[in-house]
């Protein structure tokens, strides 16, 4: 893995970015095409696209806020 020297100039803790990337990659809650299991229940469950947005948007907002606060609390970024 190659590190960008401009990142090192910021003097931020690189460990703080690991949970940010992890949560961002594992949070496909807004659409049925975000993850394969969403698509598996989309058709047989009779779900509509708006069902995912209606339930996924609040969950996505909660996850975003909690992740941001958690990173700020534990790493001070």
């Amino acid at each position: 893995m190659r590190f960008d020297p401009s990142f090192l100039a910021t003097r931020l803790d690189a460990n703080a970015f690991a949970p940010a990337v992890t949560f961002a990659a594992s949070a496909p809650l807004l659409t049925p095409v975000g993850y394969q299991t969403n698509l598996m229940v989309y058709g047989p469950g009779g779900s509509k696209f708006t069902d995912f947005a209606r339930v996924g948007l609040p969950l996505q907002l909660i996850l975003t806020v909690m992740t941001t606060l958690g990173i700020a609390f534990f790493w001070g970024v």
Side-chain angles (χ1 to χ4, degrees):
M1 179 187 283
R2 186 177 74 91
F3 291 103
D4 187 9
S6 62
F7 173 77
L8 296 175
T10 62
R11 303 200 188 281
L12 295 174
D13 186 6
N15 292 328
F17 291 94
V21 172
T22 302
F23 282 111
S26 66
L29 304 170
L30 280 175
T31 65
V33 295
Y35 196 67
Q36 62 242 17
T37 52
N38 292 359
L39 281 174
M40 290 171 62
V41 299
Y42 180 60
S47 301
K48 295 183 287 187
F49 193 87
T50 55
D51 294 337
F52 281 87
R54 187 176 61 241
V55 175
L57 182 62
L59 290 174
Q60 187 70 47
L61 292 173
I62 290 169
L63 183 63
T64 300
V65 169
M66 294 305 292
T67 302
T68 304
L69 293 176
I71 290 171
F73 177 77
F74 288 110
W75 285 280
V77 174

